[in-house]
Amino acid sequence: MEMRELSVVAGSFVGFQLLFSVASPRLSLAVTSGYKRLPPTKITEWNSRLVSTVHALIVGLFCLYILWFDDVVNANPVWGDPNLVKLNVAITCGYLLYDLALLACNWSTMGDSFFVCHHLAALYAYGYVLTRGVLPYFANFRLISELSTPFVNQRWFYEALKYPRSHWLVVLNGIAMAVVFFVVRIAVMPSYWASVFATFGTPEFERLGLGAQVAWITSCIALDVLNTIWMYKIARGCYKVLTGRGGLKVKDAADGSLATDKKHTNNHTD
């Protein structure tokens, strides 16, 4: 890993920590008076989710820029110049390390071994991109799913502030969440897997080696199975809201599904 990527990882870690401990409390108090009425555990999760939203917007929008304008990566998805993708992945690695530190410091109220395993696995996978520069197109494509995270977090913010589920803002956000989740996680599957299958048997694919090949394919299959399950639950909850049969009652999962109020969950799914 080059010094530039290491610097970005370290800067990302420090930046998100400052956002959590300094900027988020001040910004949240300025935006809503309900923030100061939250119990300490919810204040911690509130700040954590605000950081998650900022990270998702930075990484997600950067992903779209790379997808639309980085012709070198798009021309060679396995071994194309990973310069911009490595920067984006380094930002995400810094965020994952920050979130691991947050979990460790608040283990009694936020700790969850599943998310620790998820973060460590994600760091291992992104390590291939940062150290070997492999699969830049596919790493970037996966990070686009972060664009659904702000809507997931916004739903939690409304629930923390005790907005009724029938409130038009809650309903509108729920619909937007379902649509964006579908677009960035489900609708892109055919295109993504077509690109994956197109690499099979090519010299670029063989050059990866068995370890990278297995890690890449198995992780993608697992993520898409989870995304499909979460999409079904989100769509079912959205249908109940629109038909007046109840609210969204979907549990949050690794940085892309929904959350209960009683425990911290991460919104990073890649």
Side-chain angles (χ1 to χ4, degrees):
M1 190 186 306
E2 298 179 2
M3 182 57 66
R4 186 191 68 163
E5 281 76 42
L6 284 173
S7 300
V8 173
V9 172
S12 173
F13 175 87
V14 173
F16 286 125
Q17 180 59 52
L18 290 174
L19 179 59
F20 170 83
S21 58
V22 179
S24 177
R26 289 169 171 76
L27 177 62
S28 300
L29 281 173
V31 171
T32 174
S33 60
Y35 174 80
K36 61 184 178 182
R37 293 193 293 268
L38 296 174
T41 55
K42 280 201 172 184
I43 287 179
T44 299
E45 184 165 2
W46 178 293
N47 294 333
S48 173
R49 286 180 177 273
L50 191 146
V51 174
S52 170
T53 294
V54 172
H55 163 262
L57 290 174
I58 293 173
V59 171
L61 294 175
F62 199 4
C63 281
L64 291 179
Y65 173 83
I66 294 171
L67 184 65
W68 291 334
F69 300 109
D70 196 331
D71 296 332
V72 178
V73 167
N74 294 328
N76 188 345
V78 180
W79 290 99
D81 180 11
N83 187 46
L84 292 179
V85 175
K86 288 171 75 173
L87 283 178
N88 213 17
V89 169
I91 293 172
T92 292
C93 286
Y95 170 78
L96 290 173
L97 291 171
Y98 139 81
D99 205 43
L100 282 173
L102 181 66
L103 287 172
C105 293
N106 298 273
W107 189 258
S108 61
T109 56
M110 300 171 62
D112 192 315
S113 57
F114 173 82
F115 293 110
V116 172
C117 293
H118 168 270
H119 283 18
L120 293 177
L123 287 168
Y124 175 75
Y126 291 141
Y128 275 104
V129 181
L130 294 179
T131 58
R132 294 183 57 191
V134 300
L135 304 168
Y137 173 85
F138 298 104
N140 182 69
F141 206 106
R142 280 294 174 182
L143 283 174
I144 293 175
S145 64
E146 285 294 329
L147 290 171
S148 64
T149 298
F151 299 97
V152 175
N153 288 335
Q154 188 59 46
R155 176 183 180 271
W156 186 92
F157 292 143
Y158 285 141
E159 288 193 350
L161 294 174
K162 302 188 184 305
Y163 276 61
R165 292 182 175 180
S166 59
H167 194 284
W168 69 272
L169 285 174
V170 178
V171 174
L172 186 62
N173 179 74
I175 295 172
M177 178 178 64
V179 171
V180 175
F181 193 99
F182 175 80
V183 170
V184 301
R185 295 174 185 265
I186 305 300
V188 297
M189 285 185 188
S191 174
Y192 179 84
W193 283 104
S195 298
V196 172
F197 293 145
T199 68
F200 288 180
T202 63
E204 289 82 4
F205 182 80
E206 299 301 328
R207 185 180 161 197
L208 285 173
L210 182 61
Q213 292 169 358
V214 171
W216 173 31
I217 301 302
T218 55
S219 63
C220 289
I221 292 173
L223 284 171
D224 283 343
V225 169
L226 288 173
N227 283 332
T228 301
I229 294 172
W230 294 333
M231 183 71 252
Y232 167 74
K233 292 182 177 181
I234 290 173
R236 186 176 61 180
C238 189
Y239 173 78
K240 289 181 178 180
V241 170
L242 293 176
T243 57
R245 295 172 56 190
L248 291 173
K249 298 180 181 179
V250 187
K251 290 185 179 180
D252 206 347
D255 41 30
S257 56
L258 304 180
T260 62
D261 291 336
K262 295 183 180 179
K263 65 185 293 186
H264 168 82
T265 53
N266 188 311
N267 299 300
H268 186 84
T269 56
D270 293 310

